[in-house]
Amino acid sequence: FGKTILELNLTAYLTGQRFLRVGLFLPSDDLVQGVVDTKMRPDVIEQIPWLAEMTQIGKAVNKSGKAVNRKGAFMVTDGQRSSYAMVLGLQKIPTTFTVDVAAQDEVDDIPTKTAKFVKGRMTSSPLRFSIQIGTQRVAGRGQNKVWKDGSQGVALIGRVRDMVVNVHNTDAGDEVTSVPAGWLNPEEEFPQIVRRQLGDAPAASDPKMTWAGTFHREGDDATWSYQRGAKYYLAHPETGAVLDRSHPLIHHRVPAKLAAEDWTIRIAQLSIAAISLDQILQQFCEGENAAVNSPDAMIVFRCDVLGLPQSTAQAITGAIVERAQNVAPYILRKTREAGRAAYGGLDVGDQCWFLVRERESALRKRCTFAAKIPAADMVKRAVSLFHTIGLTALFVDQRPLVSESRDLALELNGLASLANWPQVPKNLSDSHISLPGGLMWDGRAGRWRGLKCAVVRFDVKSIGKGIQHGFDEFDQDGIRKFVPLINCNRGETIDRVVRELLTPAEGVADVIGGTLREDPALLLASGSDPMIPLLAAHFITGSERGKDKDGGLGDYVDGCENHLLLADGYSALAEMECGDTHPVQSATAGRVPKPAGAVRR
């Protein structure tokens, strides 16, 4: 049986034994229909005689105390006490009913904008017990975010259980505060944790499984394929010690969360001894629909069997981030390498996110600095970082901090103290404006020259329209002012920086200067800086795309923790629009003069 049946039986206990009010929240009303008709009634209520006698199907009590008829509801009473349960779809904001226990099923599919209102259904309860359960399909969002935000419990398996010290026996199982020697989390060591037994007994020389579903032995060219009837077992990848799945331990990687009762655990089929290893290997290795032969089947295998998130809609994975960190390892720094240009991006909101990219060549850039800045300090801190690092240009998200973003652009472009402002001409294409500090509008080219800071708006709704330079006009201190404006398409901006992390291994073939780029174009820092995991999480989460009306990949998701990816997108725009590399020919007579310097490649 699965997790939904566990939830429904828990609901029966909570209502019929503890007389608590329960809300089971599902992604849609269609799922409610299916759960009620095919699981709740036949598999739970009708299987428990005493519960069936106490239950009225389709009845509940609203907050005014009136009984109402509702699909997905049932009331339970023993003549003196009463309670109810509701199975509700979260397509719209939940109202009316108050609960003591709120369970959300398949969190990945529940809309974030409605899920945040579930907590409000428990305000008047003294218990306020919240349960979130589901398959982790998308990294950094949904169920995976729930797990990461909690105690991050995982199962450990080892060789000899009775030799482990400091085991705490709890209602949830046997827990350890640290990983005992020789124990490991099986899903994170797959596939090399699986071995094929060649002799009469397991041996350290037995071949290990690979992601191709074949078995290899170090120092040996021989290859063994998966065959039914052969002997397979789990062993420590390094020592070869046989591992026992029948007595797992629980290890909470963030134990501080337990004090706040924020208890989360990841359960993979690989760590459940009741599911045979042969069954798992057949799903991975055998037939046309095996994981090794089908990308779609591999995603299902990783999500269901290994309990690890993977989605075709998410371009960047943890492995892709690690690859970008390992090409040429370095740490974050608030300095710029001599001889290299650096460009900044700033995503704004209640918290602002500042990111710097340093350009080594067209084939290689590095994310060298990242910071989170309170909105109240955004202008002051961004100006300070611009000069401390020595940025060539900084592009900033215009909204929602519109005034602050404009102030930043005024300051960095040397316009903050300008008293006499020229008017923005009606015909921009034939105009030329020179401003203090070297900023210049080149109407013939339709672009800004000498640009140090611009505000960015995603007003270009169609792809393929390119990047447009313009004016952001506003009134300040009784004067009509303007700052440089960059208009572009949101999806193309994100796609540009997502592709920088991808290589031919992911089907991205970028030829630059006649050379096929085989490594990531953007490298990421490693080390202990607290911004490192945030960078990884924002890049992974922000690389997810929704579905269009035909079921294909749609726009990149919004309203999620993607701020550093967007800041990187702004920094890439700054590099493209201000990264001049070629000298400019002198302007010919009668033409709009061009500044000395360079144009972009």
Side-chain angles (χ1 to χ4, degrees):
F1 52 88
K3 52 187 178 291
T4 301
I5 293 296
L6 281 172
E7 284 180 314
L8 293 174
N9 277 277
L10 174 61
T11 299
Y13 166 73
L14 292 171
T15 55
Q17 292 289 303
R18 302 303 297 269
F19 292 92
L20 294 167
R21 300 160 298 179
V22 180
L24 174 56
F25 298 93
L26 301 175
S28 69
D29 291 336
D30 290 340
L31 285 174
V32 170
Q33 181 90 16
V35 166
V36 171
D37 291 341
T38 65
K39 294 184 178 181
M40 185 176 77
R41 290 179 177 178
D43 289 344
V44 180
I45 295 176
E46 294 175 6
Q47 299 298 321
I48 307 173
W50 59 262
L51 180 63
E53 292 177 3
M54 297 169 63
T55 301
Q56 284 185 291
I57 302 294
K59 295 284 187 181
V61 177
N62 62 22
K63 59 184 178 182
S64 66
K66 295 182 179 180
V68 296
N69 297 319
R70 188 175 182 122
K71 181 74 173 180
F74 66 89
M75 290 184 61
V76 177
T77 181
D78 63 357
Q80 295 179 334
R81 298 168 295 176
S82 64
S83 62
Y84 62 80
M86 297 291 304
V87 186
L88 300 167
L90 273 178
Q91 292 170 313
K92 58 184 180 180
I93 295 173
T95 57
T96 306
F97 295 96
T98 299
V99 298
D100 301 296
V101 179
Q104 297 178 52
D105 196 344
E106 294 300 355
V107 176
D108 278 25
D109 298 323
I110 292 177
T112 304
K113 63 182 180 181
T114 55
K116 62 185 179 183
F117 289 94
V118 170
K119 188 175 181 180
R121 298 296 88 217
M122 299 185 289
T123 303
S124 62
S125 169
L127 179 61
R128 299 188 301 279
F129 182 34
S130 178
I131 305 168
Q132 292 166 291
I133 191 167
T135 299
Q136 299 184 99
R137 297 198 307 272
V138 183
R141 187 176 66 79
Q143 192 68 36
N144 182 244
K145 186 176 188 301
V146 170
W147 178 76
K148 284 188 171 183
D149 288 347
S151 62
Q152 296 187 21
V154 297
L156 302 177
I157 61 173
R159 185 175 183 180
V160 183
R161 181 172 181 259
D162 58 7
M163 292 180 62
V164 177
V165 296
N166 297 324
V167 174
H168 304 285
N169 301 111
T170 70
D171 290 339
D174 291 345
E175 297 182 355
V176 288
T177 55
S178 60
V179 180
W183 289 66
L184 47 75
N185 176 243
E187 58 264 28
E188 293 177 356
E189 300 295 337
F190 187 89
Q192 64 269 19
I193 193 175
V194 181
R195 300 214 183 193
R196 175 167 174 165
Q197 182 177 319
L198 299 181
D200 295 334
S205 59
D206 284 338
K208 306 174 187 177
M209 192 167 74
T210 69
W211 281 110
T214 55
F215 293 79
H216 295 265
R217 189 164 53 188
E218 293 182 10
D220 193 335
D221 294 332
T223 299
W224 290 264
S225 299
Y226 170 77
Q227 293 179 339
R228 289 198 185 193
K231 293 183 179 180
Y232 300 95
Y233 62 97
L234 299 186
H236 195 289
E238 296 177 3
T239 66
V242 178
L243 302 175
D244 181 8
R245 290 199 295 160
S246 63
H247 297 287
L249 299 174
I250 299 171
H251 175 228
H252 292 279
R253 292 173 172 174
V254 188
K257 291 285 186 175
L258 297 174
E261 298 180 336
D262 198 349
W263 187 88
T264 60
I265 186 167
R266 182 179 72 206
I267 303 174
Q269 292 182 15
L270 188 62
S271 62
I272 300 174
I275 301 175
S276 72
L277 185 59
D278 281 341
Q279 178 181 337
I280 291 172
L281 294 181
Q282 287 171 24
Q283 185 176 346
F284 187 73
C285 302
E286 192 174 71
E288 294 182 2
N289 295 322
V292 296
N293 296 321
S294 167
D296 290 338
M298 180 64 80
I299 290 171
V300 173
F301 184 88
R302 284 182 58 87
C303 293
D304 286 350
V305 178
L306 302 184
L308 301 174
Q310 175 131 356
S311 171
T312 54
Q314 210 164 36
I316 298 175
T317 65
I320 289 173
V321 169
E322 290 179 5
R323 181 179 64 193
Q325 293 172 329
N326 295 332
V327 170
Y330 65 97
I331 60 173
L332 293 177
R333 48 184 165 81
K334 201 187 297 185
T335 57
R336 176 174 57 85
E337 189 76 19
R340 296 178 186 169
Y343 306 89
L346 183 59
D347 186 53
V348 305
D350 294 336
Q351 292 288 339
C352 304
W353 301 82
F354 188 97
L355 183 140
V356 175
R357 61 167 49 213
E358 186 178 275
R359 179 187 172 98
E360 181 179 338
S361 68
L363 287 168
R364 177 164 295 181
K365 301 93 183 278
R366 288 178 172 83
C367 173
T368 56
F369 180 76
K372 182 167 65 171
I373 303 171
D377 297 333
M378 188 266 278
V379 176
K380 180 180 178 181
R381 285 272 285 136
V383 170
S384 175
L385 288 168
F386 183 96
H387 295 300
T388 299
I389 299 172
L391 299 183
T392 297
L394 171 67
F395 279 17
V396 54
D397 179 17
Q398 188 203 43
R399 298 165 182 157
L401 304 183
V402 178
S403 297
E404 292 85 347
S405 298
R406 289 167 173 168
D407 288 344
L408 180 59
L410 289 172
E411 179 69 31
L412 293 180
N413 286 307
L415 306 176
S417 59
L418 182 63
N420 298 316
W421 282 81
Q423 290 185 346
V424 176
K426 294 182 179 179
N427 189 353
L428 292 178
S429 61
D430 290 330
S431 63
H432 173 81
I433 302 174
S434 292
L435 295 162
L439 183 63
M440 179 186 300
W441 171 253
D442 181 350
R444 294 288 178 86
R447 61 180 296 106
W448 290 97
R449 306 288 186 184
L451 180 60
K452 292 187 174 71
C453 183
V455 297
V456 178
R457 284 208 307 249
F458 294 136
D459 286 345
V460 179
K461 302 305 179 185
S462 302
I463 62 174
K465 298 293 185 180
I467 300 167
Q468 304 166 7
H469 291 224
F471 292 72
D472 177 22
E473 297 184 73
F474 56 97
D475 293 316
Q476 188 181 79
D477 301 326
I479 303 173
R480 189 66 173 172
K481 301 180 180 181
F482 57 79
V483 294
L485 170 69
I486 299 295
N487 256 321
C488 54
N489 179 267
R490 179 180 182 273
E492 287 183 328
T493 300
I494 298 176
D495 196 58
R496 185 178 298 114
V497 291
V498 167
R499 287 177 61 90
E500 286 185 324
L501 288 171
L502 307 182
T503 69
E506 291 78 45
V508 173
D510 284 344
V511 178
I512 302 175
T515 301
L516 176 66
R517 176 175 64 81
E518 297 184 354
D519 289 330
L522 180 71
L523 304 188
L524 299 176
S526 56
S528 59
D529 192 298
M531 293 304 297
I532 299 296
L534 283 176
L535 274 164
H538 286 210
F539 275 48
I540 292 171
T541 301
S543 73
E544 181 189 352
R545 297 173 67 176
K547 292 184 179 180
D548 60 20
K549 60 182 180 181
D550 297 322
L553 288 178
D555 295 333
Y556 285 97
V557 296
D558 202 359
C560 59
E561 294 295 317
N562 60 353
H563 309 295
L564 287 170
L565 182 65
L566 285 170
D568 185 37
Y570 300 135
S571 75
L573 286 171
E575 179 190 0
M576 290 179 61
E577 300 306 301
C578 306
D580 300 337
T581 55
H582 292 305
V584 176
Q585 300 296 325
S586 299
T588 57
R591 298 278 183 92
V592 175
K594 297 180 181 180
V599 296
R600 66 188 176 95
R601 181 178 295 170

